[in-house]
Amino acid sequence: MASVISTTADLKVPPAKLWETITARESVLPKLSPEIFASMEYIEGDGGVGTIRLVKFGPALESHQLTFSKEKLEVVDHATKTLAYSVVDGELLKLYKTYKITVKVDEGAEPSSSVVNWSLEYEAISPEIPAPQAATDGATNTFKAIEAYLLANP
């Protein structure tokens, strides 16, 4: 049975700009967080639904024995600013049968602010495998790095 963990981040950047950056993350995240994301590239497709993306992890994830992940984009909805992808290959699948991340960007309470809702649906291969709780911290830290980048580079 699948479980879900989630987090929310309030950011001081407009939703449209944040969404633009999230959907171009292949070129942005390795620059912002090379210790986590060594590289990201499309290996099939052009960024739309069905695209396969290869993520090579940086040295910060070596202690977790994570080197790469192949992800399949399942939702890219520009109208609702929703992105969803599932891991289809990599070390995470040695621990989890399913590993699907959904990101949704909404208007924030303040002018020119955003709320990012991030969730991870997963199913461990056995009851002994813990919830991937560190992923929520990683997501929050990534969104804060994007916020700092966008504030410094308007």
Side-chain angles (χ1 to χ4, degrees), residues 60-118:
L61 296 181
E62 286 176 2
S63 64
H64 298 285
Q65 300 178 345
L66 296 176
T67 61
F68 83 99
S69 175
K70 284 185 184 174
E71 304 166 347
K72 183 175 184 178
L73 296 178
E74 296 181 357
V75 176
V76 182
D77 188 330
H78 296 288
T80 63
K81 296 179 182 60
T82 303
L83 175 76
Y85 58 91
S86 292
V87 172
V88 296
D89 193 9
E91 292 90 358
L92 286 167
L93 294 183
K94 292 178 183 175
L95 302 171
Y96 305 99
K97 295 176 191 175
T98 59
Y99 199 93
K100 180 181 179 180
I101 292 173
T102 302
V103 178
K104 183 165 185 349
V105 177
D106 290 312
E107 295 278 339
E110 302 294 320
S112 296
S113 70
S114 304
V115 176
V116 181
N117 297 292
W118 179 95

Side-chain angles (χ1 to χ4, degrees), residues 9 11 18 22 103 116 118 138-148:
L11 306 177
L18 180 61
I22 288 172
V103 178
V116 181
W118 179 95
T140 299
N141 292 339
T142 298
F143 295 130
K144 291 295 185 181
I146 291 171
E147 175 187 46

Side-chain angles (χ1 to χ4, degrees), residues 46-57:
D46 60 1
V49 172
T51 293
I52 304 292
R53 177 174 53 205
L54 174 63
V55 178
K56 292 183 182 175
F57 296 115

